[in-house]
């Protein structure tokens, strides 16, 4: 759901999953310290947290926000990791096979393999849901793994869409669309993003998404949270951001409402706000 930009950095690839479920995931991981830094697992030489990008539904890691954040991280000697979910961008797999659990598995694998030390996790739209699920998974795993293990310094969520498969899709679908998904297993949803091609909403995406719903109970992420939400967002209504805030701890959670902001939040002034939120953490 974002415009694309080019990047000279070539991706690395990792395999996630086993057997028929294996897929090839494209990752761009740059260590902190600037162009002359040694290669290897990213770590910010400045001592400030690295950046870990989680994109949105049908977005890729060459989108405007991802490129801008990577450039900012490079300028400030901070590490940066971004990747494409399976069925997205340069990664392998079919988009129609994607589920929240499948993409979460990939997010955890990339975070574990490519990140070291404290990280600011930045999630856009569906990536906001992924960021919250990643935080929960990190908390479940505890502190085993030594001091070099990646940890959460904070979350920056841009038009976050937790539970969107249920709250923003299924509950909003007409009876006719629901019937098509239930009988045919898929509905082609029109899109105003990318090249405008419709994209498949599968029964498996909806049903598997119910295993990862968050808004029905308290969400304890254990770190500062900054949320940026456009009041003119047609895809993730501002009330959805308020529902999320009510589930987060009261301390160190800040919601910024951008009155004229849309879903993309990719204008120069939006990028500046996102960077300011990252820098604050």
């Amino acid at each position: 759901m974002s415009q694309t930009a080019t990047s000279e950095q070539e991706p690395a690839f990792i395999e996630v999953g086993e057997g028929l479920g294996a897929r090839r995931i494209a990752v761009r991981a740059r260590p902190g310290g600037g162009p002359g830094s040694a290669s290897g697992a990213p770590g910010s030489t400045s001592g400030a947290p690295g950046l870990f990008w989680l994109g949105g539904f049908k977005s890729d890691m060459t989108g405007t926000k991802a490129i801008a954040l990577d450039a900012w991280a490079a300028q400030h000697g901070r590490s940066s990791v971004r990747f494409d979910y399976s069925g997205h961008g340069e990664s392998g797999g079919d988009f129609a096979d994607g589920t929240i659990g499948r993409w979460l598995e990939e997010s955890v694998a990339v975070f574990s393999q490519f990140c070291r030390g404290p990280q600011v996790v930045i999630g856009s739209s569906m990536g906001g849901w992924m960021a919250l699920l990643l935080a929960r998974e990190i908390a479940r795993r505890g502190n085993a793994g030594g001091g070099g293990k990646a940890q959460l310094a904070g979350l920056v969520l841009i038009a976050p869409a937790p539970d969107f498969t249920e709250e923003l899709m299924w509950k909003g679908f007409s009876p006719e669309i629901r019937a098509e998904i239930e009988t045919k297993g898929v509905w082609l949803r029109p899109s105003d993003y990318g090249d405008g091609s419709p994209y498949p909403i599968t029964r498996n995406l909806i049903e598997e998404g119910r295993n990862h719903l968050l808004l029905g109970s308290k969400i304890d992420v254990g770190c500062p949270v900054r949320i940026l939400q456009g009041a003119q967002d047609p895809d993730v209504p501002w009330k959805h951001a308020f529902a999320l805030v009510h589930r987060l701890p009261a301390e160190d959670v800040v919601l910024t409402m951008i009155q004229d902001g849309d879903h993309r939040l990719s204008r120069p002034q939006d990028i500046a706000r996102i960077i300011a939120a990252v820098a604050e953490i």
Side-chain angles (χ1 to χ4, degrees):
M1 294 185 180
S2 62
Q3 291 179 318
T4 57
T6 59
S7 173
E8 295 178 358
Q9 184 185 6
E10 289 299 318
F13 291 91
I14 63 170
E15 290 287 329
V16 178
E18 298 179 353
L20 295 177
R23 54 267 189 210
R24 192 168 182 249
I25 303 301
V27 184
R28 284 186 169 88
R30 186 183 40 70
S37 298
S39 59
S44 295
T45 57
S46 64
L51 276 57
F52 183 69
W53 171 258
L54 289 165
F57 191 67
K58 285 292 283 185
S59 295
D60 62 48
M61 62 173 156
T62 63
T64 305
K65 294 186 290 292
I67 292 292
L69 285 162
D70 181 70
W72 179 84
Q75 291 168 3
H76 291 80
R78 295 169 72 155
S79 64
S80 174
V81 177
R82 51 200 166 100
F83 73 100
D84 287 332
Y85 308 114
S86 57
H88 292 68
E90 296 166 282
S91 289
D94 189 337
F95 177 80
D97 292 332
T99 63
I100 300 303
R102 186 179 177 94
W103 294 326
L104 175 61
E105 181 186 19
E106 295 156 8
S107 303
V108 171
V110 174
F111 186 82
S112 300
Q113 184 165 334
F114 287 90
C115 296
R116 297 292 181 270
Q119 302 288 318
V120 178
V121 176
I122 307 136
S124 177
S125 192
M126 181 182 80
W129 189 2
M130 288 292 156
L132 295 164
L133 292 171
L134 176 64
R136 186 172 68 177
E137 184 63 26
I138 291 170
R140 284 176 177 173
R141 294 188 177 197
N143 296 320
K149 179 186 171 184
Q151 307 127 18
L152 283 184
L155 302 180
V156 174
L157 310 179
I158 307 160
D163 301 10
F164 78 89
T165 52
E166 193 71 14
E167 297 297 326
L168 303 180
M169 285 186 173
W170 187 251
K171 289 184 178 180
F173 287 162
S174 67
E176 293 77 15
I177 292 173
R178 288 192 190 189
E180 185 170 343
I181 292 173
E182 288 174 336
T183 56
K184 297 182 179 178
V186 64
W187 169 63
L188 294 179
R189 181 176 184 168
S191 173
D192 294 327
Y193 300 95
D195 62 4
S197 301
Y199 50 84
I201 305 299
T202 67
R203 184 174 60 223
N204 195 28
L205 174 71
I206 299 294
E207 293 178 348
E208 198 278 340
R210 291 171 181 150
N211 299 326
H212 307 283
L213 301 180
L214 294 173
L215 295 179
S217 59
K218 178 182 177 183
I219 306 171
D220 189 2
V221 296
C223 65
V225 180
R226 302 291 180 265
I227 300 171
L228 296 96
Q229 175 69 44
Q232 310 304 319
D233 188 337
D235 298 305
V236 181
W238 60 264
K239 291 182 179 179
H240 199 72
F242 273 80
L244 170 59
V245 168
H246 286 310
R247 293 301 184 186
L248 291 167
E251 63 274 9
D252 215 358
V253 175
V254 179
L255 169 62
T256 300
M257 189 66 65
I258 302 168
Q259 185 62 27
D260 63 347
D262 60 7
H263 185 65
R264 292 179 178 89
L265 292 182
S266 293
R267 301 170 302 175
Q269 61 267 40
D270 299 325
I271 298 292
R273 291 186 182 102
I274 294 166
I275 289 174
V278 173
E280 183 182 347
I281 295 173

